[in-house]
Amino acid sequence: MAPGNASASRSNSSLRTHPIQPVALHFGAGNIGRGFIGAVLAQAGSRVIFADVNKQLVDNIKRRGKYTIHILDGHSDDVGYEEKTQPVSDVSAILSNDQDALAEVAVHDLVLITTAVGPAILPKIAPAIVTILRTRKAAGKGPLNIVACENAQHATSMLKDHVFATLRDQQADAALLEYAERNVGWADCAVDRIVPPYRPDDTSLDVGVESFYEWDVDMHSLKKTDPDVDIGGMKPTSNLEKYIQRKLFSLNMGHAITAYLGALKGHKSIASAISDTEIYPIVHGALQESGAALRREHGFTEEEHARYIDIVLARFHNKDVPDVPWRVGREPLRKLKPNDRLVGPTTMCRQMGLNRGHLLRGIAAALAYKNDDDEQAKELQNRIAQDGPEKVVVDILGVDKDDEDVVTVLDAYRELRQQHKL
């Protein structure tokens, strides 16, 4: 998997009578795990073993050993349209807390561990990874790579911290700590694919996904493994940060603003919301504003980034991806953190002296968002009711109350409340 290892891998394989199939262990057998990361690994020739806490799901995967991916390309109403499908086979599953199963997988040509469990669950899978590392060291096994494929910045680094904290809690000796440091490629990544809910029936493992996906991995962190693997759908890069910020400050930002404005107007889908003639110009304007900052910060060309924005908007318009505003907009407090999708690009624009009016209106929409089924949305509304909107905006933006951006957000917030009778 390490860059430049293809020839070495072929050389090693030629010495064996039978080529060894690499094993990838993926934590999280949900839609994203099966529809994105697990599928990419399987299609690259790896034997994929899913690890999950859901026994019914694990048993289903073990029994079937295969499933189908349905590509949702937004053409279902077109004459002569045929749905694209991709088969995924040779997969299995274990319970992620089954110590014996984890130890068995650890010594059978395991070269890669990936995750799609959600950032909050990473601490919970750290003990399972410790079991794997402990078993591999005892068996004299060589390097492997770990890539946390979460919708969070530097998720693998977060997972590494949790693993080393668990090792220290278990009073691991210095040799095991050194093994975990020297024999593991802890590679951060940026992942991007919309995988909406898709359940043809209660027992099906099939998943519906958009055709677009991107998986960028820090090439400097990857270790050479035996057998070494070439994953066609994974792009090693020497500048991961630019792709992390591009996704977060473009796709995730635009998605969130579409969701909040869409929810305020009662839209039932992202595709419906972005088609709204009042919402589209705001989202498009915010993408242009963040794009100007991203081009200056990371050197994207104007043509290159314009093409990326077009792709993002086309994905939002995809009516065959049944995404809903309350899923995309969930946990608004997290999305309003200083370096996240809304405030992050706004701050970058402010520091560069660039326009940011549409981004600020997106922040106002997040403040106006209400959802009684979302604990963070309720907490945000409680803060506004208790402290007043001005203090909340000041805290979120991290500027003085007289700052022009505070005034802009408050004006937009009051306008949205009046417009939607909140």
Side-chain angles (χ1 to χ4, degrees), residues 82-328:
E82 292 183 7
E83 184 181 64
K84 300 176 185 176
T85 59
Q86 296 176 351
V88 178
S89 59
D90 196 21
V91 298
S92 187
I94 62 173
L95 288 169
S96 54
N97 56 2
D98 185 335
Q99 299 298 306
D100 291 339
L102 290 166
E104 183 177 351
V105 171
V107 296
H108 282 93
D109 303 310
L110 178 66
V111 298
L112 177 65
I113 296 174
T114 54
T115 76
V117 295
I121 305 300
L122 292 177
K124 297 182 179 181
I125 67 172
I129 293 177
V130 166
T131 296
I132 291 169
L133 297 181
R134 194 184 299 275
T135 304
R136 287 180 66 83
K137 178 182 178 299
K141 292 292 182 178
L144 81 160
N145 290 297
I146 296 179
V147 186
C149 307
E150 308 294 342
N151 193 17
Q153 298 183 66
H154 309 114
T156 306
S157 296
M158 294 165 51
L159 177 58
K160 179 181 179 181
D161 289 343
H162 294 310
V163 168
F164 274 80
T166 303
L167 285 166
R168 289 189 290 270
D169 288 345
Q170 295 182 3
Q171 299 181 332
D173 58 31
L176 181 54
L177 288 168
E178 182 181 6
Y179 179 91
E181 187 67 62
R182 295 176 63 88
N183 284 273
V184 177
W186 301 94
D188 282 313
C189 75
V191 289
D192 186 3
R193 188 175 216 176
I194 298 174
V195 185
Y198 185 87
R199 294 187 177 90
D201 60 65
D202 292 338
T203 61
S204 174
L205 295 172
D206 288 7
V207 187
V209 302
E210 63 170 344
S211 58
F212 176 92
Y213 73 84
E214 192 169 52
W215 184 11
D216 301 294
V217 180
D218 177 22
M219 64 187 295
H220 299 299
S221 299
L222 296 172
K223 300 283 187 182
K224 184 182 184 302
T225 60
D226 185 21
D228 208 14
V229 292
D230 178 18
I231 299 172
M234 189 184 78
K235 176 186 174 184
T237 176
S238 60
N239 189 354
L240 180 64
E241 195 65 28
K242 67 185 288 186
Y243 295 106
I244 290 176
Q245 278 203 337
R246 184 178 71 168
K247 173 184 179 273
L248 190 65
F249 292 178
S250 300
L251 176 93
N252 295 133
M253 177 273 293
H255 222 185
I257 293 178
T258 304
Y260 294 132
L261 291 172
L264 287 170
K265 295 195 71 174
H267 286 285
K268 303 301 183 185
S269 72
I270 294 297
S272 172
I274 197 62
S275 299
D276 189 305
T277 55
E278 292 182 348
I279 293 175
Y280 178 87
I282 298 170
V283 176
H284 183 264
L287 287 166
Q288 294 290 340
E289 291 168 352
S290 68
L294 288 166
R295 294 199 310 272
R296 185 178 297 186
E297 178 73 15
H298 296 296
F300 295 112
T301 68
E302 186 171 352
E303 180 182 4
E304 177 185 13
H305 198 70
R307 186 166 59 250
Y308 183 77
I309 288 176
D310 287 344
I311 291 172
V312 166
L313 290 170
R315 295 168 69 191
F316 294 171
H317 275 100
N318 187 346
K319 58 184 174 297
D320 281 349
V321 175
D323 224 343
V324 293
W326 44 93
R327 189 202 72 82
V328 177

Side-chain angles (χ1 to χ4, degrees), residues 314-387:
R315 295 168 69 191
F316 294 171
H317 275 100
N318 187 346
K319 58 184 174 297
D320 281 349
V321 175
D323 224 343
V324 293
W326 44 93
R327 189 202 72 82
V328 177
R330 65 189 173 188
E331 299 180 347
L333 286 175
R334 174 171 62 86
K335 292 176 170 63
L336 286 165
K337 286 185 176 180
N339 295 317
D340 214 289
R341 65 211 67 194
L342 296 172
V343 180
T346 303
T347 301
M348 184 182 287
C349 287
R350 179 168 58 244
Q351 291 171 344
M352 294 179 178
L354 299 172
N355 293 333
R356 51 199 179 274
H358 295 95
L359 287 164
L360 292 168
R361 190 169 185 83
I363 292 173
L367 295 174
Y369 174 69
K370 292 185 177 181
N371 183 350
D372 290 339
D373 295 324
D374 185 325
E375 290 302 318
Q376 285 195 14
K378 290 195 294 184
E379 181 181 346
L380 177 58
Q381 293 307 312
N382 288 338
R383 287 187 192 179
I384 293 173
Q386 179 176 332
D387 300 332

